[in-house]
Amino acid sequence: MFFNGLLHRIKRGVMLAIATFLFFTKLSRLLSTKRQQAIIALTMVCLFLSMPSLALAEEICTNAEIQYTDQPWEGEIRYKAENSTPDYFEAPKPQSGAPNILTIVIDDAGFAGLGSYGGRIQTPHLDHLANNGLRYNNFHVTPVCSPTRAALLTGRNPHTVGMAGIPEISNGYPNKSGSIPSSAAMLPALLKPQGYTTFALGKWHLTPTWAVNPATGHFDQWPTGKGFDHFYGFLGGETNQYYPELYRDTTRVQAPKSPEEGYHLSEDLVDNAIGYIKDLESSDPERPYFMYLAFGAVHAPHHTPEFYRDMYKYHFDEGYDVERDEILKKQKELGIVPEDTQLTKRHPENPRWLLLDEDEKQLFTTFMENYAGFMTHVDAQVGRLVDYLDSIDQLDNTLIMVLSDNGASAEGSENGTLNEMTYFNGVPTDIDYNIEHQDEIGTVHSEPHVPWGWSLAYDTPFQWAKRFVHEGGIHVPFIVHWPAEIPDPGAIRPQWQYVTDIVPTVLDILNVELPKTVNEYVQQPLAGESFYKSFKNADADSTHTVQYWENKANRAVYQDGWKAVTAHTTLLGSIPDGHKGKFGKDTWELYNLAEDFSESHDLATKNPKKLQQMKALFVKQAKKYNVYPLDDRETAELIDLQNKELGAEKTDFTFYQGMSPLHQALAPNTFGSSYTIDVYLDREHPDSEGVLVAQGGSGGGYTLYINENNKLAYEYNYLGFERFKINPDLLVPTGKSKVTYKFTQTGIDPDREYYIGNGQLFLNDEPISEQVEIHTVPASFGLEFFDIGQDTQSPVSEAYKPTFTFNDSIEKVTVHIQPEGKLGKVKKMVQNYFD
């Protein structure tokens, strides 16, 4: 367009110059003097030379080599608007008939977690989607949450995008950086140019801890930096369902109501999902959307409203051994597993139900009743969303995909726990305590996790569980509901597929190629393959024929029905004696899954040649997809190493009132250390009250606050088991003052259940309490944050309700961690606790 116009204007300029020349030539003949003729001649030369340029003056702003906008502009600019051609900017136009896309992730649901997959938990709404859509019975994911989510959203293998494990733990290598590179653009970024609006709700768990801080930005690592227009949810791996960590886009927000008022996160997520859709349908009804809805359920803590807890009274009294048998029977009746499927052997670490005493059976049953209610409750929320889509006539035009991110979790250990932080701190479960407090399971006073016997039952017919690369950890439900494209609703699809196949399938549906660059970043190739053909064709071939897995050196590889697999760790997650870093000692197993659906017959000794071929294939895949180096070090080791590499741990901190809550990884690390907290007050009112500093929540933490009686109070919550309190009988003065809490680490319990020290309170450097012996949490308060002037999530102390914001002035809070010396040996014991 530009060059055609340029030639036209040059031609017009030359013609104008010739006409002007002829005019001035005639004029010069009429002039009498040579001086006048010379002036006219000079003027004619200048005009002749300038006429083409004058004609081109209109084009000075239309240089096509300069792009001043983010969108291609096809208009034409001249000197006057009346002679120019506009080209208006607008949002990218979607393809005609482009579907809405709703991807629902249920957290930690095993293969048998849904009724339509043989489970005995009621999931009528998810079953309705299955019965009116497709159930894939050979769909696979990674064994843990973050790698699956990375693979789902990028279409690449997790090790190639820095997400070999959870983002909280980096080992200094690209495969476990915890940060997804821009060379692996996520699905929402690919869909936005196709005219889609994009929403993310619920669990994210793809942001490194150094970026979980609104104050410092790094929002390129947040959902809104990865292509989502809006985000409402939490960034970590889990959250309290009654007192969640919540962000709207990039701003920290509080839940809209309290649990006493009926709040639950699953309900809140669906309320917001409906709100986003309602806004879009009201303002731009022709525009499709991609919604990624990732529930916190049924990941621990298993927080369940009372109505749903009570639904399953006496339902599981026969125990998890009978449950496995009943589930497999139902799976065969449904056709979700082949008729010849055999139940895998009992895991040797799992106790027989009949060997439990009556109190243990009652406790384990209560845990399971609560877990089942949790699942049915999240199913009800899915039902609300689906019903809304139906009410606005958008259900038929919405591609709904439902899956679990991994198998059911065994992180509740053998006996289950009333507080899952015991598992992450390596503290043995106190079964007597759990029996005594079992009425609290599922309430705000607990952070429970079901015993692993039930988790293994809900991975039926497979063996092992979440975190492991046997089928129990990676073989999950996958439902596709799309009436417009599925000719045989209710059918079962046997195609072997993997979570990386979702992105290429969506692109295939839209007939879109992966662009070479996204936001100027050259893109990695996709690792998955589209299975769109199987939507309509039950006999379509499986498109994913080779796949590897690795998690904490648990390893496996699949090819055309064969699978080799090894477990490097125990069910609890520890490394067997003599195997630390000794990957060659691991025993590999071999299965022909084409004939042995449940992975129950190990053929390693019968077919050693095939096993060697498969092990060689794993090595080839591992090199191709950046799996190495294998790393079985524990969290504490990796954190310790990272601190050393980055210049050691920070020992001095200063905080100010009104700051945003701080992630535990960014907060003062007081675990296993002596430390001092100084709070500088400037109180105007003698009746002001509230939290001065707090970290953690109902599952473990500490809080320093002024109570309603104008008295200072300190409380240390040791995993809910014990609460250590310091309550000096002294009024806090108005005006300027300094309140100090000093903790001196003194030792470690011989059974390694807790660390011991003395706590004491001071006012203006004078002691106002006796020293109190305190048992402290070894390594983690979980994913509840560090707060100044408030306690934003579940309350550390039962003496107040959150946020219990301090309603007077705090000038600053300083924290000093004692540098490593003699007491550093104690801290080293903490850091190596899990060895």
Side-chain angles (χ1 to χ4, degrees), residues 277-326:
I277 296 171
K278 188 176 295 184
D279 284 349
L280 184 62
E281 289 294 316
S282 299
S283 61
D284 195 353
E286 301 303 317
R287 187 163 301 284
Y289 61 82
F290 168 61
M291 178 174 285
Y292 173 72
L293 174 57
F295 288 99
V298 286
H299 193 291
H302 299 155
H303 283 146
T304 309
E306 183 177 7
F307 173 81
Y308 290 90
R309 293 199 302 270
D310 292 343
M311 283 181 64
Y312 289 97
K313 290 293 183 184
Y314 314 114
H315 189 85
F316 300 102
D317 287 359
E318 292 181 294
Y320 44 68
D321 291 329
V322 171
E323 191 77 0
R324 290 186 82 209
D325 293 333
E326 292 298 319

Side-chain angles (χ1 to χ4, degrees), residues 66-137:
I66 301 176
Q67 182 67 51
Y68 296 101
T69 65
D70 292 332
Q71 298 182 23
W73 189 80
E74 300 295 338
E76 185 177 74
I77 297 176
R78 299 185 187 179
Y79 182 66
K80 294 182 178 181
E82 63 188 61
N83 296 327
S84 302
T85 303
D87 181 25
Y88 292 94
F89 294 152
E90 60 181 339
K93 292 182 178 180
Q95 301 174 20
S96 177
N100 301 315
I101 303 170
L102 170 60
T103 300
I104 299 173
V105 180
I106 308 295
D107 204 324
D108 287 2
F111 183 76
L114 310 182
S116 53
Y117 279 76
R120 299 207 297 166
I121 299 173
Q122 298 177 38
T123 54
H125 301 285
L126 289 165
D127 296 346
H128 176 78
L129 292 176
N131 294 332
N132 290 275
L134 298 173
R135 279 171 293 169
Y136 285 76
N137 72 345

Side-chain angles (χ1 to χ4, degrees), residues 595-652:
E595 300 176 358
D596 175 20
F597 183 84
S598 62
E599 193 183 59
S600 59
H601 297 289
D602 181 9
L603 305 177
T605 57
K606 292 183 179 180
N607 198 340
K609 183 176 180 180
K610 183 64 178 180
L611 178 60
Q612 291 305 314
Q613 291 175 351
M614 295 297 290
K615 290 171 66 175
L617 178 61
F618 175 83
V619 172
K620 183 178 180 180
Q621 289 281 294
K623 291 179 178 179
K624 179 178 180 180
Y625 291 112
N626 208 26
V627 172
Y628 296 126
L630 298 177
D631 196 341
D632 62 357
R633 289 172 294 177
E634 300 291 352
T635 300
E637 292 179 85
L638 293 173
I639 291 174
D640 185 37
L641 178 63
Q642 178 176 291
N643 288 333
K644 288 179 179 178
E645 290 293 328
L646 297 179
E649 258 182 41
K650 187 176 180 181
T651 58
D652 290 280

Side-chain angles (χ1 to χ4, degrees), residues 415-432:
N415 297 320
T417 178
L418 215 67
N419 179 4
E420 61 159 341
M421 283 300 107
T422 58
Y423 171 82
F424 294 108
N425 281 283
V427 175
T429 300
D430 188 332
I431 194 166
D432 292 331

